[in-house]
Amino acid sequence: MNKNFLSFLCIISVVFSTYAQQPGSYNGNNRFEQLESTLPTPNSYRTASGSPGSAYWQQRADYDIKVELDDINRKIIGSEIITYFNNSPDDLPYIWLQLDQNLFEKNSTRKTTSTGGITNNGISAEAFKELNNTKEYGYKITSVKDAKGNPLRHTINQTMMRIDLPSPVRSGQSVSFSIDWNYLITEYYGRSGYEFFAKDGNANYFIAHWFPRMAVYNDVYGWQHKQFMGQGEFTLNFGNYKVAITAPNDHVVGAGGELLNANQVLTSTQLKRWEQAKSATRPVLMVSQEEAEKAEKGKPTGKKTWIFKADNVRDFAFTSSRKFIWDAMQVEVEGKKVWAMSYYSKEGNPLWGKYSTMAVAHTLRSYSKRTIAYPYPVAISCHSGMGGGMEYPMISFNGGRPETDGTYSEAVKNGMIGVIIHEVGHNFFPMIINSDERQWSWMDEGLNTFCQYLAELEWDRNFPVRRGEPQSIVPYMRLDAKNQVPIMTNSENIMDFGNNAYAKPATALNILRETIMGRELFDYAFKEYARRWAFKQPYPADFFRTMEDASGVDLDWFWKGWFYGTEPVNQSIETVEWFGIDDQNPLVKKQKEKEAYEAKRKTMANIRNKTDIKETVVEKEKDMNDFYNSFDRFATTDEEKKKYQDYLASLSEEERNLVLSGKNFYVVNFKNKGGLPMPVIVKLQFEDGTEQVLRFPAEIWRLNDVSIKKVIPTDKKVTKWTLDPFYEIADIDTDDNAFPREPVQPTKVQLFKMRQNAAPNPMQQQNQRNGAGAISGARN
Ligand SMILES: [Zn+2]
């Protein structure tokens, strides 16, 4: 660049240098420093790249269980042989088991430490029942013996039990022992229990965390010793299961495993239907509604034992009832056949027959594509009464129930499909990618909710997704910091569980995929995380590190802001300054000076004087004029014209084009009012009606995390600027996102009269209009 050019470009060059160095505007911040000591030191078990290390190990526990479901006394009676493989480098003198049913004991820590009062609205039926419960819930452990049948010393500490071994189980060796137990089944509480139907006197059973299970011993915590308090879910080992379930002989039993004795427990008609279901494209009824309704009026004549096996699973759950309708279909998932099935009583129809198994099949395909191919032979959705759902390997218990007339609201339908996708999706997180739920709820709920969001939109592009879109998290992000905890908070200490453990991490991942990393880099890294940690136990750092390692994107700032912090995103456009290139053309320059001079002469006094002063002296006395009365001080001289021509001639063609281009330079002042740094995405609307969107990475805030200026050159004049035009960053205040500002819409008030109470759902309204009763297909 030559000297002349520089001097003539003075306006622009001042702007550039101000911007490049930002003297006086540095606002030191550590938002883009590495997480360093926040993350655990990498070692040979877990590497700095986020993958399992060369010395990675995990324990294994195999179970051989015989259990009886006592339908009269609502009781579980079981005995098990556990074989525990010590793959750790350590000798273990004692081992710990989990006694989850002790959650319901009268003096459980959950009860004695639960807080809260009675509100004006009173007390919930559940809380009332619990406060007044007189039943003796919890495990009755009747025997603990070694492989030779000798009793083993054991100590129960709330929801855990320590077994003292006669001699330590050595590194690389295994130990077998047996336990007998029984317990009273609780009413369904959200994770397990029974639902009783007073109308026909039957119960649907959803049996989970029903046997003493091995606690986890690992390289991160040693023995996992956080008690089961109800909110923090489960930390579990993989192993192989053989489970023989004895139930009344008119019950239909479904379980998270492969049925080994179909020939013994199914009728010949059912075996034929099973064969049909192998090639069906819609679920085939193994037990029809008619058959189920007949069964619920009958009584058992004996018992029947259903035998299941499940390999390489971290848990085992089952369901049982004489009320069950059962449908099944074999579906192809990544080139492998998998059974998709549902168990539901007539109360679930017509919704369950139509959607449940189809939603199971869709979930397996959608998740397999993004993680690993579904490795198990079966995936089941059962209809439990409550609205939510609960997951176990290969089997889940889900809500979503129509009205008694068979109609349902759109919310019930979509809620049911959503919850089935979610709970079946949990097969991947945490049943296969076996994160430690007792510690970190977001690692399964957040990742799963993110995949659920993607799967819901593949089910129906208009699906009313609840969680995942940045806009939906805004009300939560607006909360005061004192009413929030970071995503990186232990499960039992989380406030606002749904937003913290599900919605915020799911949204963060969606933002990573759409806005920070892009779909290609994100999808590759996310799949790599699933691949690395399938059938292993990852912790948060393993996820954070893998996402960076496989994508080549430094995301430490993102984890800091979204996972370790509670600050919201709130960007604004404060000011826009407009600069053009001064091309130094004397004709143009003088003309502008003339216009400015004349404009300034239009004062009120001069305007009035035009008529008030009839004639001035120089107007009247012509000889009072001289050279200066007619001199044009804004005329361009020949010298000035020549100087300009010489200047143009001295420029290279490229420089000359730039000088003559008429380009606009805007200096836009963006502010980060919320704290959490995010990319700046800004839409420019030009005077000719066209638009352009510019995207600047979050690192734009690295020298100043409060206020920055950015020079934006354009060919056309910008008439309007809009921040975050696609609602990507969860900005909690969008009123300051436009420049010039948009007028704020008034808040409109509604007359109370307009509100409707308990309106019939749209299906019922339609039926009323048609003068019809219940829609066809409704249950009775
Ligand atoms: Zn969940």
Side-chain angles (χ1 to χ4, degrees):
M1 213 182 267
N2 71 41
K3 215 180 160 197
N4 267 341
F5 183 72
L6 258 184
S7 65
F8 279 105
L9 272 176
C10 58
I11 294 174
I12 302 306
S13 66
V14 166
V15 173
F16 275 129
S17 68
T18 301
Y19 176 69
Q21 292 159 27
Q22 299 231 345
S25 70
Y26 175 74
N27 190 64
N29 68 77
N30 63 4
R31 295 183 186 280
F32 294 90
E33 299 294 338
Q34 296 302 287
L35 278 163
E36 294 292 350
S37 59
T38 308
L39 299 184
T41 308
N43 53 42
S44 58
Y45 308 127
R46 292 162 199 273
T47 71
S49 72
S51 68
S54 57
Y56 179 84
W57 56 270
Q58 65 187 14
Q59 306 294 66
R60 170 182 157 191
D62 288 356
Y63 297 81
D64 188 344
I65 312 179
K66 291 184 176 62
V67 58
E68 181 171 352
L69 170 66
D70 177 348
D71 185 32
I72 308 291
N73 300 304
R74 310 226 186 283
K75 201 170 176 182
I76 287 288
I77 306 131
S79 67
E80 66 184 349
I81 300 166
I82 300 179
T83 306
Y84 184 62
F85 298 86
N86 181 12
N87 297 326
S88 81
D90 316 314
D91 298 342
L92 303 174
Y94 50 80
I95 54 179
W96 282 100
L97 285 93
Q98 310 187 57
L99 303 183
D100 314 81
Q101 286 295 327
N102 288 357
L103 180 74
F104 303 106
E105 270 191 327
K106 276 196 193 109
N107 297 316
S108 72
T109 311
R110 179 184 67 108
K111 283 190 188 164
T112 52
T113 63
S114 73
T115 52
I118 294 174
T119 67
N120 288 339
N121 299 330
I123 186 167
S124 74
E126 288 75 29
F128 184 79
K129 264 188 203 170
E130 191 170 315
L131 284 168
N132 292 289
N133 171 50
T134 52
K135 284 195 178 165
E136 292 289 335
Y137 290 124
Y139 276 120
K140 309 280 174 293
I141 304 289
T142 53
S143 152
V144 182
K145 288 178 182 158
D146 68 14
K148 292 185 189 124
N150 301 315
L152 284 168
R153 245 181 65 150
H154 55 280
T155 306
I156 294 173
N157 171 15
Q158 305 264 354
T159 60
M160 294 181 69
M161 175 167 78
R162 190 188 69 231
I163 298 179
D164 299 331
L165 301 171
S167 60
V169 54
R170 302 279 172 210
S171 171
Q173 294 190 346
S174 68
V175 59
S176 285
F177 55 95
S178 64
I179 302 175
D180 296 347
W181 75 94
N182 63 75
Y183 71 86
L184 284 179
I185 305 165
T186 60
E187 279 185 60
Y188 194 78
Y189 80 102
R191 300 200 198 282
S192 73
Y194 65 86
E195 182 183 12
F196 178 67
F197 297 85
K199 237 178 168 178
D200 53 64
N202 293 301
N204 294 342
Y205 293 91
F206 306 98
I207 304 298
H209 46 74
W210 54 280
F211 56 97
R213 310 185 283 188
M214 285 304 307
V216 163
Y217 180 79
N218 70 18
D219 61 294
V220 177
Y221 290 119
W223 285 106
Q224 150 32 64
H225 51 248
K226 241 184 163 23
Q227 297 275 344
F228 184 36
M229 303 272 280
Q231 183 160 285
E233 294 182 288
F234 309 111
T235 310
L236 295 161
N237 302 287
F238 286 105
N240 298 337
Y241 284 69
K242 192 177 165 204
V243 182
I245 303 164
T246 301
N249 65 356
D250 57 349
H251 269 214
V252 174
V253 177
E258 251 178 307
L259 179 61
L260 294 183
N261 63 337
N263 288 330
Q264 285 169 296
V265 293
L266 301 184
T267 64
S268 57
T269 312
Q270 286 171 336
L271 288 169
K272 263 182 227 151
R273 291 171 180 171
W274 188 249
E275 283 306 311
Q276 285 167 21
K278 284 183 179 169
S279 52
T281 55
R282 288 291 178 277
V284 169
L285 285 166
M286 293 292 296
V287 177
S288 70
Q289 179 160 340
E290 204 183 322
E291 290 160 346
E293 285 182 36
K294 203 177 149 203
E296 74 179 18
K297 290 179 192 118
K299 284 211 151 40
T301 55
K303 296 174 187 176
K304 210 155 69 173
T305 299
W306 302 60
I307 303 170
F308 296 91
K309 98 177 170 102
D311 289 340
N312 214 8
V313 289
R314 49 166 250 167
D315 199 2
F316 191 96
F318 66 94
T319 189
S320 183
S321 177
R322 64 177 57 84
K323 284 169 66 69
F324 278 154
I325 303 161
W326 170 19
D327 70 37
M329 145 177 110
Q330 224 180 24
V331 293
E332 193 166 306
V333 180
E334 306 270 313
K336 215 189 97 189
K337 290 277 194 175
V338 180
W339 282 104
M341 309 202 284
S342 299
Y343 296 84
Y344 45 97
S345 54
K346 66 174 193 283
E347 286 76 14
N349 265 342
L351 270 181
W352 277 72
K354 190 174 172 73
Y355 292 119
S356 178
T357 295
M358 294 299 283
V360 172
H362 168 65
T363 306
L364 296 179
R365 290 183 180 127
S366 176
Y367 278 63
S368 291
K369 191 168 66 186
R370 301 181 196 293
T371 59
I372 64 157
Y374 185 68
Y376 297 130
V378 184
I380 295 170
S381 161
C382 309
H383 179 40
S384 58
M386 287 177 122
M390 186 60 208
E391 71 278 11
Y392 300 96
M394 296 186 240
I395 191 168
S396 56
F397 308 147
N398 306 313
R401 183 168 291 178
E403 305 289 336
T404 47
D405 66 1
T407 63
Y408 45 85
S409 65
E410 207 178 353
V412 166
K413 172 191 155 179
N414 290 323
M416 173 230 180
I417 294 170
V419 81
I420 293 175
I421 292 175
H422 181 95
E423 306 307 339
V424 174
H426 268 307
N427 271 302
F428 297 84
F429 308 99
M431 300 307 156
I432 298 164
I433 293 106
N434 182 23
S435 59
D436 183 343
E437 293 180 281
R438 187 65 50 86
Q439 296 293 338
W440 304 112
S441 293
W442 70 267
M443 287 194 77
D444 69 304
E445 298 301 355
L447 270 61
N448 182 37
T449 301
F450 165 68
C451 292
Q452 174 195 351
Y453 158 83
L454 298 173
E456 284 172 344
L457 294 173
E458 290 169 339
W459 174 271
D460 178 348
R461 74 174 74 246
N462 297 316
F463 200 93
V465 290
R466 274 171 73 208
R467 291 162 170 162
E469 276 293 340
Q471 292 173 72
S472 315
I473 198 67
V474 163
Y476 176 66
M477 301 287 273
R478 273 199 198 120
L479 292 178
D480 279 356
K482 68 177 192 303
N483 291 324
Q484 277 191 64
V485 291
I487 292 174
M488 282 298 291
T489 295
N490 171 269
S491 187
E492 294 297 340
N493 297 332
I494 292 172
M495 297 192 293
D496 201 342
F497 203 69
N499 275 316
N500 181 282
Y502 295 64
K504 191 178 171 186
T507 309
L509 295 182
N510 191 29
I511 290 174
L512 276 184
R513 183 169 188 255
E514 299 293 356
T515 305
I516 312 289
M517 302 166 76
R519 289 187 173 193
E520 199 183 330
L521 289 176
F522 177 91
D523 290 350
Y524 180 87
F526 192 75
K527 204 176 168 75
E528 176 66 5
Y529 167 72
R531 196 190 62 74
R532 284 178 175 182
W533 290 98
F535 299 107
K536 295 190 173 73
Q537 187 147 67
Y539 277 85
D542 302 319
F543 177 72
F544 297 148
R545 285 171 167 151
T546 295
M547 290 304 290
E548 300 189 11
D549 188 71
S551 68
V553 183
D554 174 13
L555 297 170
D556 281 40
W557 64 272
F558 189 87
W559 311 132
K560 270 189 190 184
W562 281 87
F563 287 74
Y564 288 90
T566 55
E567 284 176 332
V569 179
N570 183 4
Q571 295 182 355
S572 73
I573 299 187
E574 291 294 300
T575 56
V576 177
E577 294 167 275
W578 179 27
F579 296 90
I581 294 181
D582 183 356
D583 70 358
Q584 299 291 306
N585 182 340
L587 284 168
V588 177
K589 197 178 161 199
K590 289 280 176 79
Q591 182 59 30
K592 279 198 180 142
E593 284 171 12
K594 187 177 180 180
E595 282 163 13
Y597 172 80
E598 282 171 358
K600 279 190 179 166
R601 296 274 306 154
K602 280 192 184 142
T603 63
M604 194 45 69
N606 282 341
I607 291 165
R608 287 178 178 147
N609 286 345
K610 225 175 181 179
T611 49
D612 270 12
I613 301 173
K614 300 291 175 233
E615 204 171 23
T616 61
V617 172
V618 294
E619 284 163 359
K620 196 176 173 188
E621 313 295 345
K622 298 292 177 205
D623 62 332
M624 285 302 100
N625 287 273
D626 75 350
F627 171 80
Y628 289 106
N629 291 85
S630 57
F631 170 62
D632 182 0
R633 72 199 71 194
F634 298 108
T636 310
T637 65
D638 289 344
E639 287 85 349
E640 285 167 333
K641 283 180 193 163
K642 186 172 183 305
K643 197 178 167 194
Y644 178 59
Q645 290 308 324
D646 289 348
Y647 160 65
L648 288 181
S650 74
L651 298 178
S652 72
E653 199 183 333
E654 192 188 358
E655 289 165 345
R656 198 157 45 239
N657 286 343
L658 177 60
V659 165
L660 300 175
S661 68
K663 257 192 182 302
N664 301 287
F665 292 84
Y666 292 94
V667 178
V668 188
N669 175 205
F670 298 107
K671 279 209 165 145
N672 173 16
K673 294 176 171 173
L676 210 172
M678 286 291 276
V680 172
I681 304 154
V682 61
K683 182 169 86 176
L684 287 58
Q685 281 164 282
F686 300 107
E687 58 181 352
D688 64 357
T690 57
E691 294 177 354
Q692 186 186 7
V693 175
L694 299 173
R695 311 178 80 94
F696 306 107
E699 283 82 354
I700 197 170
W701 303 103
R702 73 190 182 280
L703 296 177
N704 186 325
D705 60 359
V706 177
S707 176
I708 50 169
K709 284 183 172 178
K710 183 78 183 162
V711 179
I712 298 173
T714 65
D715 292 332
K716 294 179 278 190
K717 274 183 201 158
V718 180
T719 54
K720 196 179 163 192
W721 304 78
T722 311
L723 264 180
D724 191 25
F726 304 111
Y727 306 99
E728 289 175 74
I729 60 169
D731 193 319
I732 63 164
D733 177 11
T734 52
D735 288 349
D736 52 15
N737 282 11
F739 195 94
R741 292 277 186 269
E742 297 262 25
V744 177
Q745 293 292 320
T747 306
K748 294 192 176 152
V749 280
Q750 198 187 52
L751 283 181
F752 280 109
K753 269 183 171 176
M754 300 277 288
R755 291 194 186 150
Q756 290 183 329
N757 282 326
N761 70 49
M763 280 174 104
Q764 287 169 328
Q765 289 173 2
Q766 178 69 29
N767 290 346
Q768 284 162 9
R769 280 194 292 273
N770 294 345
I775 57 156
S776 66
R779 69 198 149 78
N780 46 30

